[in-house]
Amino acid sequence: MSINTANARERILHAATKLFSTQGIRATGVDSIVKSANTTKMSLYKHFSSKEVLIVAYLQDRDAEFWTWFVEQVEDKAQSPKDRLLAIFDVHGKCLANPDFQGCPFINASAEFPDQRHVVHQLSAAFYRKFRSYMTDLAGQAGARFPERLAGQLCALFQGAIVSEQLQRHSGVADDAKLAAVLLIANGIE
């Protein structure tokens, strides 16, 4: 792939990311993406054979970017597995407080594609299964009596805080979620 070709693909993906987050996936047309990327439909379809393929690439990109960033942030904040479970909510709180916060791309995508058989919904569900698995591993390492149950409870707090903050900005929900996480972790880990 030439540099110009890679640049065009990245410009298209960047434009789609920005538009999908601010306008929604279904509301964003190919013409808007092409215009924002300063390219042509021919170029878009050269790199992404359909809008659905572009949506999949967008979600895969969000997934890879999230895990690289998130795990690094959590590991920088805490050393022990128990402390990392709490650090998740510190990192989460900073994310929710970001003025550019537009909600979770996976929650938003699954809402727009509610059919559980649709690839977009499946990618979104897979992201949160991976997230829950990450929390389950940390909970197990921390000595939780029931790591999967604790992880499920913490994931519910995490996801609920995202939706609450998206519905009402600056609601303090991140602090509430962390306080609830403190109690759940204290009760679930010996």
Side-chain angles (χ1 to χ4, degrees), residues 53-74:
V53 170
L54 176 58
I55 296 165
V56 167
Y58 155 72
L59 289 173
Q60 290 171 334
D61 193 55
R62 298 297 87 212
D63 182 86
E65 188 176 290
F66 173 85
W67 286 107
T68 300
W69 171 82
F70 188 77
V71 171
E72 180 181 303
Q73 295 294 308
V74 169

Side-chain angles (χ1 to χ4, degrees), residues 1 6 9 14-15 52 60 66 72 77 88 90 95 100 102 105 109-110 121 153 162 166 169 176 182 185-186:
M1 193 179 301
R9 185 184 189 286
H14 178 73
E52 185 173 286
Q60 290 171 334
F66 173 85
E72 180 181 303
K77 289 193 170 302
I88 287 170
D90 292 328
C95 183
D100 296 330
Q102 298 287 332
S110 66
H121 193 94
Q153 293 165 341
I162 291 169
Q166 191 171 356
R169 297 290 287 145
D176 293 341
V182 167
I185 291 167

Side-chain angles (χ1 to χ4, degrees), residues 8 12 30 34 39-49:
I12 293 164
V30 170
V34 166
T39 191
T40 64
K41 278 187 184 180
M42 187 171 153
S43 179
L44 184 144
Y45 288 120
K46 176 182 175 186
H47 297 287
F48 306 97
S49 59

